[in-house]
Amino acid sequence: MHGEERVLHDKAEGVDTTRALTGIVAAYVLGNCWTYFMPMLVGCMVDAFGVRAGTAGIVMGVELGAMAFSCLALPFVIGAINVRLIVYFAAAVLLVGNVLSIWSALSKTWLVFIVARSLTGFAEGCLAAGADARSADRATARSAQRGGR
């Protein structure tokens, strides 16, 4: 009964808990799964562009740096911009960055590849930080509903 009251209370406030949780999980997956694909991406870079592994590592460092930058910069604007808009924008930028990465690898355009991986890293960081902000917001709301427990 207590759980049903909580869900009804959330819906009365206009929050669909299932959709919110699904969005948080999707943002986490999109923001963090690309780091697991980096070793494959490095191998593809070496094959497609004929670069050394060290050069490919520098490009991955640029991507990780862009990810770190967006994770550090986002908390300063997260109160002024809706988190949902940030996540939607980041997902679109992630899609564009990955499509540009594939295109640049096929056309062997090195500079576009570096820019595309920077965009992708920025979007990954926005997705991860946005998911963290949204889940923290949900946890704070739940705690307040339970009287701080």
Side-chain angles (χ1 to χ4, degrees):
M1 178 76 180
H2 180 67
E4 291 175 21
E5 289 176 13
R6 188 172 59 214
V7 171
L8 291 175
H9 183 57
D10 280 353
K11 288 190 178 183
E13 292 180 353
V15 176
D16 183 356
T17 54
T18 305
R19 283 183 56 204
L21 183 61
T22 303
I24 291 168
V25 170
Y28 271 125
V29 169
L30 285 174
N32 294 314
C33 76
W34 299 106
T35 56
Y36 297 111
F37 295 122
M38 279 191 187
M40 291 184 290
L41 188 60
V42 169
C44 290
M45 269 195 294
V46 170
D47 291 342
F49 295 111
V51 298
R52 296 185 326 239
T55 305
I58 290 171
V59 174
M60 292 296 94
V62 168
E63 181 175 350
L64 287 172
M67 185 179 190
F69 172 77
S70 60
C71 281
L72 291 172
L74 199 62
F76 295 105
V77 298
I78 212 144
I81 303 172
N82 187 348
V83 175
R84 184 179 296 166
L85 292 176
I86 292 171
V87 169
Y88 288 155
F89 174 76
V93 170
L94 183 68
L95 177 67
V96 169
N98 282 315
V99 168
L100 277 175
S101 295
I102 294 167
W103 175 80
S104 64
L106 293 174
S107 65
K108 301 195 184 302
T109 311
W110 180 244
L111 182 61
V112 173
F113 187 78
I114 293 171
V115 170
R117 295 319 302 167
S118 298
L119 284 174
T120 305
F122 179 79
E124 291 165 0
C126 286
L127 284 166
D132 284 340
R134 184 68 177 139
S135 63
D137 190 33
R138 300 280 307 149
T140 303
R142 291 269 186 222
S143 178
Q145 283 178 350
R146 288 185 231 137
R149 290 181 279 140

